[in-house]
Structure formats: C-alpha cells, structure tokens
Amino acid sequence: MKKVFPSIAKCFKNTGAKWWKMVAIFITNLITNLIRYLNDITSDVDSTSVSGYQLRRLAGPVHILGGGGPDVDEAIQWMINQVRGGANSENKVNVVIIRASGNDDYNRLIYAMKGVKYVETLIIPNRQDANRIDVFDKVRNADVIFFAGGDQCQYIRNWKNTKLEVAVKSVYDKGGGIGGTSAGAMIQSEYVYDSCACIDSIETREVLEDPYRNITFTYNFLQWQHLRRTVIDTHFDTRKRMGRVMAFIARQIQDGVAKSALGIAISEETSIAIDKYGRAKVMGRGAAYFVLGDHLPEICRPGEPLTYYDYKIWRVPRGESFDLVNLPNRGYYYRSVERGRFSSDPY
C-alpha cells in the first residue's frame, strides 16, 4: 500500500482536519490528471461528432465551376483531393450531389474516384424538401457538395433562405468543397442571373439590344469569399455569350449594386478550380474568360441598346491560372459595345 499509494499512506499518519484536507488534495490531483489523460486521447482522434455532425476541420474551402456539357472528371477529383488534404492523403470524404430533378448518375462516377468514402444524390424539388431535417443532416455531414446542372431559377426559388442553404454554408465554413456545373455553377456567384423573368434564357443579341428586358438577378444567396462581386456564366463558347456577360456586368454597376463587377465565363467541357487562396486554374477542353467592368456604362437604360467602352478581358486557356484576389495588371485586352454592337471580335 505504501508503495502504490504513498500519498495515502502518508495521510494515515495524520489525524483530524489535516488528514481530510490531504485526501481532498489527492482526489483533486487524481481527477485533474485523469481529465488531462482523456484530453490527450481525444486530441489524437481525427474527427468526432456532436448530434451526428462532423466536427473535423477539412483542408479547404475550395470550389469548382463547370461550364456545362460533359463534366471534367479531373476537376472533381482535384476538389476531393484538396478537401481531404492532398492526392496522397489517407483521408476519405463524403460527397453529396444536389439537384432539383434527374437521377443519381453522378454516384457511380464519383464513388470510383480516389479518396471517396460515401456518395449520395439528393433530389430537392421544392422548399418543403429543402427544409427537411434529414436533408439538413445529410448535407451538413458532407465534406464535398456538387450542384448538378438544371434551372437556376428553380434552384433559387426552392433553396434560398432554407435549411439547405444553411447546411451548404456549414460545409464551406469547415473547409469543404463546393462545386457545380452549368446552372449549378451560376448560382455560386454573388450576382446571379436567375433567368426567372423568361421561359428561355436571354442570349447575346437580345440582351445587348435591351439589358433590362426580361433580365433579373438574385442577390444574397450563397456568397463565397473568393466569388464576391462576380457574375458567372456558362456554356460560353458554344452559345457565344460574351455580350450576355457584358450586359450582366453593366447592370450591376448601373443599378448601384457595385462599382465594379467581374464576369467569369466558362466554356463547355471546361472547369475552373479555385483553391482556398483564390487562385483559379482552368481545366478541361476549353478556355475561361474573366471580364471586368470598372466604370459606369455610357448607356444602360431600359429599352435602349447597351453602350459600354473598354471592358478588360483576360482569356485564360486550360492549364493556366488567374488570381481572383489580386487581379492581374497585364495580360488583358479591351473590347467595347456601342449601340448594342461589339467594337471588334470579343473572343
């Protein structure tokens, strides 16, 4: 007993209050050391949960923005690797696909990728489903979110200001990945062309003739750090949408939303991968265009053709990068629109 519990043995030599005081000190020290031991154990665990919510910090946040058409598998794998800590990391992640209609075709593609533990597609066609607690739980426990293509008006009407939006933001806040393609990429910008004022999306000729007719925007949706003051457009090369993104930019400035706006225009079969520092790399088949408007339009009024001089345009081919935090001070060219017509080929 003296060998195992010297402090207690010593205590038996004392009597009265002094003895009880020493016992109390011994018990206090024992509890303190036990707590320290348990803390050391739990600090070695990579993740834990409270009420089913994953708490471990991921290695992002990062984004991928797809231009529509066939997906760029390389970009999706990049996002997964970034979130789990690198291509050689032993960590695996949970991926959730979100869409308003369609099927679960993404499941097989993504589950076959390296570093994936679990994949699920959630079809969320209305606000009632977007506020379901089981949907909230599944999305919040994901590490990577990917929005499939579809109708951005339907996405915004059904998902904005719901529990689903809160859950998606929580994935970003813990360092996860948020991606999307086509409409699923367009909703990632701060200024979203929502296509809610017309049945078919407005195209370049119409929007340059009147930048207000049937053109509406949604604000205060997801709002990611490195996509502030941006408007994203997709299917860019196939549908010749340079004039469209130019008009979207002019509207933000004319309407007093911003003093400048950056259009991010992505070709089909092409993705932009944005790391946690705001560096955007182009992957896939085509190029991406970054279009800056930094002054008031000369003419941007309802019922009149657009006139805007000197947009700055950076064309970034696949394999090259663009800094969204500190815009490059070179490598751009100027193009203007006068009375709804390009000054010269903008591509």
Side-chain angles (χ1 to χ4, degrees), residues 130-306:
N131 280 306
R132 281 168 36 191
I133 192 64
D134 62 317
V135 169
F136 176 81
D137 288 344
K138 288 178 180 179
V139 174
R140 191 168 181 181
N141 277 312
D143 306 308
V144 171
I145 303 291
F146 187 83
F147 291 95
D151 180 350
Q152 64 263 33
C153 180
Q154 185 179 13
Y155 288 2
I156 289 165
R157 284 177 172 172
N158 293 331
W159 300 345
K160 189 174 185 287
N161 297 327
T162 65
K163 289 184 174 64
L164 173 63
E165 182 182 0
V166 173
V168 171
K169 288 179 177 178
S170 76
V171 174
Y172 177 88
D173 289 342
K174 70 181 178 182
I178 310 292
T181 187
S182 191
M186 293 177 69
I187 62 172
Q188 310 297 325
S189 55
E190 183 171 9
Y191 317 135
V192 182
Y193 167 61
D194 56 34
S195 194
C196 289
C198 54
I199 296 175
D200 297 319
S201 290
I202 297 293
E203 295 300 337
T204 284
R205 181 185 60 81
E206 302 165 277
V207 74
L208 290 182
E209 287 297 321
D210 184 349
Y212 281 85
R213 186 176 60 227
N214 295 330
I215 300 168
T216 54
F217 300 92
T218 290
Y219 304 101
N220 303 313
F221 187 27
L222 295 171
Q223 300 200 61
W224 309 125
Q225 178 183 357
H226 296 312
L227 293 173
R228 298 284 189 183
R229 297 179 297 280
T230 66
V231 57
I232 294 169
D233 209 355
T234 56
H235 302 280
F236 191 67
D237 54 348
T238 303
R239 302 182 190 180
K240 300 297 181 183
R241 284 180 165 174
M242 180 65 82
R244 200 170 92 140
V245 75
M246 285 176 165
F248 294 166
I249 292 166
R251 277 285 306 274
Q252 308 317 308
I253 302 171
Q254 181 66 44
D255 295 349
V257 176
K259 292 182 178 180
S260 67
L262 181 71
I264 300 177
I266 313 164
S267 302
E268 291 189 0
E269 298 182 55
T270 306
S271 287
I272 295 175
I274 304 170
D275 69 17
K276 62 183 178 181
Y277 304 108
R279 292 186 296 255
K281 183 176 181 179
V282 179
M283 299 180 178
R285 176 186 63 83
Y289 292 79
F290 297 86
V291 184
L292 179 67
D294 56 6
H295 59 83
L296 277 168
E298 280 67 27
I299 301 174
C300 185
R301 291 189 289 266
E304 296 189 40
L306 176 67

Side-chain angles (χ1 to χ4, degrees), residues 74-137:
E74 174 192 8
I76 299 174
Q77 181 69 74
W78 176 90
M79 180 166 62
I80 291 168
N81 288 342
Q82 289 291 306
V83 169
R84 67 194 188 95
N88 296 319
S89 172
E90 295 182 358
N91 295 328
K92 293 190 174 184
V93 297
N94 296 327
V95 181
V96 169
I97 313 301
I98 299 176
R99 59 196 315 164
S101 61
N103 52 43
D104 62 358
D105 285 352
Y106 274 108
N107 289 14
R108 180 179 297 179
L109 167 70
I110 293 177
Y111 189 72
M113 292 185 174
K114 184 177 180 181
V116 175
K117 178 169 58 178
Y118 170 82
V119 183
E120 182 174 5
T121 294
L122 300 179
I123 298 176
I124 307 173
N126 52 57
R127 295 186 67 82
Q128 181 180 354
D129 286 349
N131 280 306
R132 281 168 36 191
I133 192 64
D134 62 317
V135 169
F136 176 81
D137 288 344

